Amino acid sequence: MNSTDIGSEAASNAEAHWDAAVDPRIHYPCYKSFDDFIDVHRLESLDGYVTERIKRHLPLQRDIEFYTGPYRLDEAAPERPGSRMIYLAQSKLEDSYFDLDKTELWERTAEAREFGLLMDFIATLPFKATGRMLIMYDDAGRAGPAHRDHIETELCHEFIWFRTNFRKPFYMLDQRTGEKRYVESYSAWFDTVNQFHGTDAHEGLGFSIRVDGLFTDEFRQRIPQPEYNLASTPALWACTAGGS
């Protein structure tokens, strides 16, 4: 996310939300795999295509640096760890994390044309409309510090995180126990508020894609809704209907 995403809210405020109440059936760390809902074979087939086009960006050094936001588990960890982002959609307004699902604000970038086959795949995902779409990559394989995206427990973004290969070791972390769980699927939806997430160091180029938007009404019927703490919705689904 960009430095303007969260505003000036102090990171120290995050500690007060670490123990926000969630449905007792939820056990962190967890994520909901979406592999049953997407064409994994088609996604895998895009690996060389996406990799080649990301490599074209490396010598240019023009892509935006990833910013973790202020809610890092270790405040001493770098807020800009070195990974970069290729935006496939950009907002008509100043970039704000809280506008990710305001789909009317987002329009495709020139890079979306560059990644045309990837955009064709995104069109098959269970969204009725899409908002922010981006590729996050790091050719140096640096670790991405454990962090949360925000601390608004009654805000839940509908998004799909996915990848074409497993070179990027991505994990969820329960800050209360220190338990870490690696994502073992090609795709996932996860709670970005009540747990932390990050990336371990790895060899070579690693990348993932995230698409935010609005799920279709039909797809939403599959999703259990918590009575409180809407940010925990993907966690409730993972813990009650299978996930991880």
Side-chain angles (χ1 to χ4, degrees):
M1 69 187 76
N2 290 334
S3 58
T4 57
D5 288 339
I6 303 298
S8 60
E9 196 168 6
S12 59
N13 291 342
E15 296 184 5
H17 294 260
W18 275 13
D19 295 314
V22 297
D23 188 291
R25 293 171 291 178
I26 294 175
H27 174 75
Y28 294 107
C30 61
Y31 63 91
K32 175 61 181 175
S33 170
F34 269 40
D35 284 5
D36 289 341
F37 310 123
I38 69 172
D39 187 341
V40 172
H41 178 72
R42 181 174 179 177
L43 177 60
E44 287 181 286
S45 73
L46 293 173
D47 185 50
Y49 174 87
V50 176
T51 299
E52 178 189 2
R53 280 154 180 76
I54 292 175
K55 287 182 175 179
R56 294 176 186 175
H57 282 241
L58 299 182
L60 304 177
Q61 292 290 300
R62 68 185 182 191
D63 296 321
I64 299 171
E65 283 191 81
F66 171 67
Y67 170 61
T68 64
Y71 306 112
R72 298 180 302 283
L73 185 62
D74 179 1
E75 293 184 4
E79 62 182 24
R80 298 186 187 276
S83 54
R84 291 181 178 271
M85 300 177 292
I86 301 172
Y87 274 74
L88 303 175
Q90 64 185 9
S91 176
K92 300 173 185 177
L93 304 178
E94 183 178 2
D95 199 358
S96 170
Y97 192 80
F98 299 106
D99 288 343
L100 299 188
D101 56 355
K102 295 180 181 178
T103 59
E104 70 278 4
L105 296 178
W106 295 85
E107 53 191 11
R108 292 188 177 189
T109 62
E111 286 75 14
R113 293 192 294 273
E114 181 183 356
F115 290 85
L117 293 182
L118 175 60
M119 297 302 296
D120 290 344
F121 172 78
I122 289 172
T124 70
L125 300 177
F127 291 103
K128 60 183 176 183
T130 54
R132 188 186 70 170
M133 297 181 280
L134 59 79
I135 302 169
M136 185 180 300
Y137 71 89
D138 189 345
D139 64 315
R142 289 163 287 217
H147 64 281
R148 293 187 292 175
D149 290 353
H150 62 88
I151 57 173
E152 301 299 325
T153 56
E154 295 307 320
L155 173 65
C156 180
H157 287 117
E158 296 177 348
F159 68 88
I160 304 176
W161 175 97
F162 59 95
R163 55 190 173 182
T164 61
N165 62 62
F166 289 91
R167 286 193 294 271
K168 179 177 179 176
F170 189 60
Y171 64 82
M172 307 294 132
L173 174 69
D174 182 356
Q175 68 279 4
R176 304 163 190 82
T177 65
E179 181 182 355
K180 182 185 287 188
R181 176 166 292 181
Y182 289 91
V183 175
E184 298 178 347
S185 53
Y186 279 94
S187 61
W189 184 34
F190 52 91
D191 184 339
T192 65
V193 174
N194 298 286
Q195 63 180 354
F196 286 69
H197 57 276
T199 306
D200 283 348
H202 53 279
E203 293 291 329
L205 174 65
F207 60 87
S208 59
I209 301 106
R210 174 166 161 168
V211 176
D212 284 79
L214 302 173
F215 292 144
T216 65
D217 293 340
E218 179 181 8
F219 191 76
R220 283 177 173 170
Q221 293 177 6
R222 300 173 177 267
I223 304 172
Q225 295 296 314
E227 295 182 4
Y228 48 89
N229 199 324
L230 290 180
S232 69
T233 300
L236 180 61
W237 194 10
C239 295
T240 59
S244 186

